[in-house]
Amino acid sequence: MAEERGRRPGNPQTRDEILEAAMRSFAAHGYGGTTIRAVARAAGVDPALVMHFFGNKDGLFEAAIKAGMPVALMVGALDGDESGLGERLVTRYLELWEDPAHGPRLAAVLHAAAATPATAALLKELISRELLAPVARRLSGDHPEVRALLAASQLIGLAMMRYLLKVEPLASLPARQVAAAAAPNVQRYLTGALSLDETAAARG
């Protein structure tokens, strides 16, 4: 039996420990280098228990994305006046990347999502449903979905250059300076004028 081999039975704490082991593996080895068997071994459980909780590696990765992407904390930055939304989002986003508890997980998610189309699709679906949609609902202007997506593209690009590629001098600037420089552009996407009509598109 599993318990006789030193394997722990399934319970909520065991599930969390499996998820922690999975996030460490995705961070260190990427999606392709992570296996159900290796995650189970790191968590001290039988591989069948990992399958029981998460179904397959895609299910495990999706759960890791949800655990690694502190969406609720980002959504919390939506509260407040719309005119300060860009500053709040950028500031919160940088705070999460700077946090030792969240930054490595965010990096692991982006690294893994860039590895294969399947993992990118999982991340896209999660971000669209749990982050972009709430941002769009918060906006009072036209084209809210496009505005939310443009703002998100700025944030992801900022993370890529500062935290993943570590391009200088951006990588070494204090986070508050980066937030002050980036927030106005994010705010423009969220509430400023956009040229999305057919005439403007034809000129572009």
Side-chain angles (χ1 to χ4, degrees):
M1 294 179 63
E3 291 181 86
E4 292 174 351
R5 296 197 304 270
R7 305 290 189 173
R8 284 169 290 158
N11 57 57
Q13 181 179 349
T14 302
R15 185 186 187 280
D16 290 343
E17 290 171 355
I18 293 171
L19 197 53
E20 283 292 332
M23 286 189 287
R24 289 194 300 271
S25 181
F26 286 126
H29 308 296
Y31 181 85
T34 295
T35 66
I36 293 291
R37 186 173 297 278
V39 169
R41 184 166 57 250
V45 300
D46 193 276
L49 190 57
V50 180
M51 302 291 283
H52 167 74
F53 280 127
F54 303 101
N56 53 33
K57 191 164 78 168
D58 281 352
L60 181 62
F61 182 67
E62 183 174 8
I65 288 177
K66 291 179 179 179
M69 294 286 288
V71 174
L73 294 176
M74 283 296 295
V75 171
L78 299 178
D79 296 335
D81 188 85
E82 192 177 31
S83 64
L85 182 55
E87 181 180 2
R88 294 196 303 275
L89 283 174
V90 174
T91 299
R92 179 65 55 82
Y93 187 66
L94 292 175
E95 287 174 349
L96 293 172
W97 273 97
E98 299 282 334
D99 187 338
H102 293 295
R105 293 182 178 184
L106 287 166
V109 168
L110 289 187
H111 275 302
T116 66
T119 55
L122 288 171
L123 180 59
K124 180 178 70 174
E125 195 277 333
L126 175 70
I127 289 178
S128 297
R129 183 183 68 245
E130 300 194 18
L131 183 58
L132 296 183
V135 171
R137 288 195 296 269
R138 178 66 178 77
L139 301 177
S140 60
D142 58 348
H143 308 295
E145 293 83 6
V146 175
R147 291 177 181 277
L149 186 56
L150 287 169
S153 72
Q154 290 288 292
L155 295 177
I156 292 174
L158 178 59
M160 288 289 294
M161 299 298 284
R162 177 175 169 85
Y163 297 107
L164 300 186
L165 299 180
K166 301 184 186 301
V167 178
E168 296 292 355
L170 180 62
S172 297
L173 285 175
R176 56 182 174 77
Q177 292 184 11
V178 177
N185 199 42
V186 173
Q187 185 68 40
R188 182 181 68 82
Y189 279 138
L190 294 172
T191 60
L194 291 183
S195 299
L196 294 179
D197 58 89
E198 293 183 3
T199 301
R203 288 200 304 268

